[in-house]
Amino acid sequence: MDFVRYADSLRAKLHIGGVKLPVMIGITAAVLVVLALAGFGIASALGSNAGDFTISHKEDVSAQKASEDSEAAAKESVFVHVGGAVTAPGLYELQAGSRVQQAIDAAGGFTDAAAADALNLARVVTDDEQIIVPEAPSVQPGQGIDPSAASANTSSAAPGKVNINSATADELQQLNGVGPALAQRIVDDRKANGAFVTIEDLKRVSGIGDKKFASLADSICVG
């Protein structure tokens, strides 16, 4: 009788809520497998996204560095248009801080007809600058290193007109609307940048805009 009662008790313990224990163990194992697979999928997705983020971050850093390198290179060079009496006129890229002489060298040097002394070869060039080398016949004697020291001869090329390449500061003041300060700026510009190739070049002087130039155009020449 004790054996029968023990067997009945054991069967009762193995039968919980109408579901046998082996069945419950199987269900529990299946649930654990499903949860493990789900966890693995989530981890894989997170790992993939982390990799994508790392690649994207690296690409952003590389793009930023390339942009910074490009900007640095742009600051280290200038573009200058060299024309006139040079061997190979054109647009040239020079290192920042280059002189006019280096721009001329880049263009193949002066031609035989060039008036080399009309330019200040030691001047530092700037970006977007145009350097025009005049030919010798268009330059009056004494217009090289110190054009303001040359003797003025306004009637040699155009009678009655003031030669802006050879006139002194006092003679420039004879022009309508040109006072001592503006006359001196014209002289200083000649020293710094060389002779005026055309009368329109006078507009490069500070204080001479289109309106001022129009009032002077009929009274000036370059010889």
Side-chain angles (χ1 to χ4, degrees), residues 12 20 46 60 91 107 111 123 181 197:
K20 293 182 178 180
L46 291 175
D60 291 342
L91 179 67
T111 65
R123 180 174 60 80
V197 179

Side-chain angles (χ1 to χ4, degrees), residues 21-66:
L21 183 59
V23 176
M24 290 188 64
I25 293 174
I27 293 173
T28 302
V31 171
L32 291 176
V33 170
V34 171
L35 291 176
L37 291 176
F40 177 77
I42 293 172
S44 298
L46 291 175
S48 176
N49 291 336
D52 292 343
F53 174 78
T54 301
I55 294 173
S56 176
H57 178 66
K58 289 181 178 179
E59 291 176 348
D60 291 342
V61 171
S62 298
Q64 181 178 357
K65 186 176 185 303

